[in-house]
Amino acid sequence: MKKEVILGSAYLAPVEYYTKLFAYDTVYVERFDHYMKQTYRNRCVIASAGGDLALTIPTEKSEDLKCLMKDVRISDHGNWRHVHWNAFVAAYKQSPFFDYYADEFHRFFEQKYEFLFDFNLELCNWICEQIDLHPHLLPTDDYITSSDDSDDFRELIHPKKLYAECDPEFLPKPYYQVFDQKNDFLPNLSIVDLLFNMGPESLLVLRDSIVTHE
């Protein structure tokens, strides 16, 4: 496997994304790609009592048709911070570790961030601290073109693409979920699903979700 990986910015990215942070020596997080809706850039998926639930951060409309990710501003529309927080509480208040992380996690939804990229990156850094993951994260200084030196998952880790087809290195290891008796195991949800259910053991689940080829 190559030493470097290129990822897009993502809001509480799925487990697959964090296996890349575990597996690669250097992680480039793209800031200069064109912003697209209906991606993990502003959407995460959690497990609710009714099944998987997508939470989306509204963004300000840009006058530039091709707005760069680094320039995307978060909108206050729809009181989304309150809505998302309530969804997390409803989904995870019965999980083993939610109370342990809740106060620090809540701060991200009390503070107003101007730019989506900054919000996503600070959340990612916080998650990594909680699970004792220490990736070498480098926000890009310019758009990176794909090369033989790095693996590029910018467009492959996507809510509308099947990880089984796009990423043979990723095989999600089942873990306890609050509603698994009702919904069965839901793979590749947001990293917070893993964190709140498994706590410090999240790192082991990430490790065991990576396929190693002899």
Side-chain angles (χ1 to χ4, degrees):
M1 196 160 66
K2 295 168 188 171
K3 300 288 189 184
E4 298 178 351
V5 65
I6 314 168
L7 300 174
S9 175
Y11 170 45
L12 295 171
V15 169
E16 178 188 7
Y17 188 103
Y18 279 81
T19 63
K20 307 309 172 195
L21 304 191
F22 182 98
Y24 288 83
D25 293 340
T26 302
V27 179
Y28 291 102
V29 185
E30 184 62 75
R31 294 195 302 157
F32 288 84
D33 50 348
H34 291 137
Y35 177 69
M36 294 172 63
K37 293 183 177 179
Q38 298 187 330
T39 66
Y40 287 124
R41 290 174 179 86
N42 69 326
R43 173 191 296 194
C44 71
V45 182
I46 63 172
S48 73
D52 53 11
L53 173 67
L55 300 174
T56 303
I57 299 175
T59 56
E60 299 284 359
K61 284 189 169 61
S62 171
E63 295 185 9
D64 185 351
L65 287 175
K66 292 188 174 179
C67 185
L68 298 179
M69 180 63 202
K70 71 180 183 66
D71 297 325
V72 174
R73 285 178 162 83
I74 295 173
S75 169
D76 290 332
H77 182 72
N79 200 15
W80 71 269
R81 294 175 183 85
H82 181 71
V83 171
H84 285 209
W85 177 252
N86 284 348
F88 291 126
V89 172
Y92 297 112
K93 63 185 175 185
Q94 303 301 328
S95 67
F97 293 96
F98 181 75
D99 287 346
Y100 181 78
Y101 299 112
D103 287 348
E104 284 190 34
F105 186 56
H106 191 205
R107 287 183 207 146
F108 289 98
F109 299 90
E110 294 178 305
Q111 181 180 344
K112 288 192 176 182
Y113 288 78
E114 183 176 5
F115 292 101
L116 179 61
F117 184 91
D118 297 338
F119 182 59
N120 287 349
L121 189 62
E122 287 207 26
L123 272 169
C124 180
N125 285 328
W126 179 79
I127 293 281
C128 289
E129 283 178 27
Q130 308 317 306
I131 61 178
D132 202 23
L133 181 60
H134 306 286
H136 185 42
L137 286 176
L138 295 172
T140 59
D141 293 323
D142 205 344
Y143 184 79
I144 295 183
T145 53
S146 296
S147 73
D148 293 337
D149 297 329
S150 54
D151 288 327
D152 186 353
F153 285 93
R154 283 174 291 192
E155 301 304 324
L156 296 180
I157 298 178
H158 191 290
K160 297 190 184 304
K161 293 183 180 177
L162 299 174
Y163 63 79
E165 295 177 3
C166 295
D167 188 2
E169 308 290 335
F170 176 62
L171 183 64
K173 180 180 173 63
Y175 56 86
Y176 167 80
Q177 291 175 328
V178 176
F179 303 110
D180 56 10
Q181 288 188 318
K182 182 178 180 184
N183 298 329
D184 295 326
F185 177 71
L186 300 175
N188 205 29
L189 297 178
S190 167
I191 189 65
V192 294
D193 184 80
L194 178 58
L195 178 69
F196 296 148
N197 284 310
M198 298 301 290
E201 291 186 32
S202 299
L203 199 65
L204 301 178
V205 177
L206 293 178
R207 181 196 69 191
D208 293 343
S209 298
I210 298 168
V211 177
T212 53
H213 300 287
E214 297 299 331

